[in-house]
PDB file of all heavy atoms in Angstrom:
ATOM      1  N   LEU A 829     201.371 102.209 111.402  1.00 94.00           N
ATOM      2  CA  LEU A 829     200.374 102.120 112.474  1.00 94.00           C
ATOM      3  C   LEU A 829     199.670 103.455 112.676  1.00 94.00           C
ATOM      4  O   LEU A 829     198.447 103.498 112.874  1.00 94.00           O
ATOM      5  CB  LEU A 829     201.022 101.654 113.780  1.00 94.00           C
ATOM      6  CG  LEU A 829     201.445 100.185 113.826  1.00 94.00           C
ATOM      7  CD1 LEU A 829     202.217  99.890 115.110  1.00 94.00           C
ATOM      8  CD2 LEU A 829     200.242  99.256 113.693  1.00 94.00           C
ATOM      9  N   ILE A 839     187.532 107.600 109.006  1.00 89.00           N
ATOM     10  CA  ILE A 839     186.374 106.810 108.583  1.00 89.00           C
ATOM     11  C   ILE A 839     185.332 106.794 109.689  1.00 89.00           C
ATOM     12  O   ILE A 839     184.145 107.013 109.446  1.00 89.00           O
ATOM     13  CB  ILE A 839     186.800 105.375 108.197  1.00 89.00           C
ATOM     14  CG1 ILE A 839     187.621 105.399 106.896  1.00 89.00           C
ATOM     15  CG2 ILE A 839     185.589 104.458 108.056  1.00 89.00           C
ATOM     16  CD1 ILE A 839     188.301 104.084 106.561  1.00 89.00           C
ATOM     17  N   ILE A 854     185.625 103.231 103.145  1.00 85.00           N
ATOM     18  CA  ILE A 854     186.622 102.175 103.331  1.00 85.00           C
ATOM     19  C   ILE A 854     187.197 101.770 101.982  1.00 85.00           C
ATOM     20  O   ILE A 854     188.409 101.609 101.831  1.00 85.00           O
ATOM     21  CB  ILE A 854     186.018 100.967 104.075  1.00 85.00           C
ATOM     22  CG1 ILE A 854     185.859 101.301 105.565  1.00 85.00           C
ATOM     23  CG2 ILE A 854     186.876  99.726 103.906  1.00 85.00           C
ATOM     24  CD1 ILE A 854     185.181 100.234 106.381  1.00 85.00           C
ATOM     25  N   GLU A 860     191.739 102.009  97.315  1.00 90.00           N
ATOM     26  CA  GLU A 860     192.286 102.916  96.299  1.00 90.00           C
ATOM     27  C   GLU A 860     193.484 103.720  96.786  1.00 90.00           C
ATOM     28  O   GLU A 860     194.493 103.807  96.092  1.00 90.00           O
ATOM     29  CB  GLU A 860     191.186 103.859  95.808  1.00 90.00           C
ATOM     30  CG  GLU A 860     190.075 103.144  95.059  1.00 90.00           C
ATOM     31  CD  GLU A 860     188.915 104.061  94.684  1.00 90.00           C
ATOM     32  OE1 GLU A 860     189.065 105.305  94.774  1.00 90.00           O
ATOM     33  OE2 GLU A 860     187.851 103.532  94.317  1.00 90.00           O
ATOM     34  N   ASP A 868     187.667  92.618  96.721  1.00 87.00           N
ATOM     35  CA  ASP A 868     187.173  91.306  97.133  1.00 87.00           C
ATOM     36  C   ASP A 868     187.451  91.048  98.613  1.00 87.00           C
ATOM     37  O   ASP A 868     186.596  90.489  99.316  1.00 87.00           O
ATOM     38  CB  ASP A 868     187.810  90.193  96.293  1.00 87.00           C
ATOM     39  CG  ASP A 868     187.283  90.168  94.869  1.00 87.00           C
ATOM     40  OD1 ASP A 868     186.214  90.767  94.612  1.00 87.00           O
ATOM     41  OD2 ASP A 868     187.927  89.535  94.012  1.00 87.00           O
ATOM     42  N   ILE A 870     187.700  93.332 100.962  1.00 86.00           N
ATOM     43  CA  ILE A 870     186.791  94.182 101.731  1.00 86.00           C
ATOM     44  C   ILE A 870     185.413  93.531 101.825  1.00 86.00           C
ATOM     45  O   ILE A 870     184.794  93.503 102.893  1.00 86.00           O
ATOM     46  CB  ILE A 870     186.688  95.595 101.105  1.00 86.00           C
ATOM     47  CG1 ILE A 870     188.048  96.314 101.144  1.00 86.00           C
ATOM     48  CG2 ILE A 870     185.601  96.420 101.795  1.00 86.00           C
ATOM     49  CD1 ILE A 870     188.601  96.569 102.523  1.00 86.00           C
ATOM     50  N   VAL A 871     184.933  92.992 100.716  1.00 84.00           N
ATOM     51  CA  VAL A 871     183.633  92.316 100.723  1.00 84.00           C
ATOM     52  C   VAL A 871     183.675  91.115 101.668  1.00 84.00           C
ATOM     53  O   VAL A 871     182.737  90.885 102.435  1.00 84.00           O
ATOM     54  CB  VAL A 871     183.234  91.893  99.292  1.00 84.00           C
ATOM     55  CG1 VAL A 871     182.004  90.989  99.311  1.00 84.00           C
ATOM     56  CG2 VAL A 871     182.976  93.118  98.440  1.00 84.00           C
ATOM     57  N   VAL A 919     180.688 114.253 124.141  1.00 85.00           N
ATOM     58  CA  VAL A 919     180.299 115.664 124.007  1.00 85.00           C
ATOM     59  C   VAL A 919     178.777 115.788 123.887  1.00 85.00           C
ATOM     60  O   VAL A 919     178.161 116.625 124.554  1.00 85.00           O
ATOM     61  CB  VAL A 919     181.001 116.313 122.786  1.00 85.00           C
ATOM     62  CG1 VAL A 919     180.427 117.684 122.480  1.00 85.00           C
ATOM     63  CG2 VAL A 919     182.499 116.395 123.034  1.00 85.00           C
ATOM     64  N   PHE A 923     175.672 117.682 126.390  1.00 77.00           N
ATOM     65  CA  PHE A 923     174.893 118.848 125.960  1.00 77.00           C
ATOM     66  C   PHE A 923     173.560 118.543 125.281  1.00 77.00           C
ATOM     67  O   PHE A 923     172.839 119.464 124.941  1.00 77.00           O
ATOM     68  CB  PHE A 923     175.726 119.691 124.993  1.00 77.00           C
ATOM     69  CG  PHE A 923     176.992 120.204 125.588  1.00 77.00           C
ATOM     70  CD1 PHE A 923     178.218 119.658 125.224  1.00 77.00           C
ATOM     71  CD2 PHE A 923     176.969 121.218 126.529  1.00 77.00           C
ATOM     72  CE1 PHE A 923     179.388 120.133 125.774  1.00 77.00           C
ATOM     73  CE2 PHE A 923     178.145 121.693 127.093  1.00 77.00           C
ATOM     74  CZ  PHE A 923     179.355 121.144 126.714  1.00 77.00           C
ATOM     75  N   HIS A 935     166.883 119.771 111.863  1.00 89.00           N
ATOM     76  CA  HIS A 935     167.134 119.809 110.415  1.00 89.00           C
ATOM     77  C   HIS A 935     168.478 119.172 110.065  1.00 89.00           C
ATOM     78  O   HIS A 935     168.589 118.491 109.035  1.00 89.00           O
ATOM     79  CB  HIS A 935     167.068 121.241 109.893  1.00 89.00           C
ATOM     80  CG  HIS A 935     165.705 121.854 110.026  1.00 89.00           C
ATOM     81  ND1 HIS A 935     164.560 121.264 109.548  1.00 89.00           N
ATOM     82  CD2 HIS A 935     165.310 123.016 110.611  1.00 89.00           C
ATOM     83  CE1 HIS A 935     163.517 122.029 109.813  1.00 89.00           C
ATOM     84  NE2 HIS A 935     163.940 123.097 110.471  1.00 89.00           N
ATOM     85  N   ILE A 948     174.617 104.377 101.765  1.00 84.00           N
ATOM     86  CA  ILE A 948     174.282 102.959 101.754  1.00 84.00           C
ATOM     87  C   ILE A 948     173.903 102.509 100.345  1.00 84.00           C
ATOM     88  O   ILE A 948     174.334 101.445  99.885  1.00 84.00           O
ATOM     89  CB  ILE A 948     173.157 102.659 102.773  1.00 84.00           C
ATOM     90  CG1 ILE A 948     173.694 102.850 104.204  1.00 84.00           C
ATOM     91  CG2 ILE A 948     172.608 101.249 102.587  1.00 84.00           C
ATOM     92  CD1 ILE A 948     172.636 102.802 105.282  1.00 84.00           C
ATOM     93  N   ALA A 949     173.139 103.310  99.613  1.00 87.00           N
ATOM     94  CA  ALA A 949     172.768 102.963  98.236  1.00 87.00           C
ATOM     95  C   ALA A 949     174.006 102.858  97.345  1.00 87.00           C
ATOM     96  O   ALA A 949     174.117 101.941  96.523  1.00 87.00           O
ATOM     97  CB  ALA A 949     171.792 103.999  97.676  1.00 87.00           C
ATOM     98  N   ILE A 991     176.674  80.840 102.524  1.00 82.00           N
ATOM     99  CA  ILE A 991     177.993  80.189 102.594  1.00 82.00           C
ATOM    100  C   ILE A 991     177.876  78.736 102.141  1.00 82.00           C
ATOM    101  O   ILE A 991     178.666  78.255 101.317  1.00 82.00           O
ATOM    102  CB  ILE A 991     178.577  80.268 104.020  1.00 82.00           C
ATOM    103  CG1 ILE A 991     178.955  81.708 104.364  1.00 82.00           C
ATOM    104  CG2 ILE A 991     179.781  79.340 104.178  1.00 82.00           C
ATOM    105  CD1 ILE A 991     179.291  81.929 105.829  1.00 82.00           C
ATOM    106  N   THR A1002     182.122  82.734  90.006  1.00 52.00           N
ATOM    107  CA  THR A1002     181.751  84.015  90.593  1.00 52.00           C
ATOM    108  C   THR A1002     180.299  84.309  90.291  1.00 52.00           C
ATOM    109  O   THR A1002     179.860  84.196  89.156  1.00 52.00           O
ATOM    110  CB  THR A1002     182.641  85.148  90.023  1.00 52.00           C
ATOM    111  OG1 THR A1002     183.992  84.810  90.291  1.00 52.00           O
ATOM    112  CG2 THR A1002     182.303  86.459  90.667  1.00 52.00           C
TER     113      THR A1002
END
Side-chain angles (χ1 to χ4, degrees):
L829 288 173
I839 291 169
I854 285 176
E860 294 175 13
D868 288 343
I870 297 298
V871 171
V919 170
F923 300 107
H935 296 307
I948 292 171
I991 291 169
T1002 303

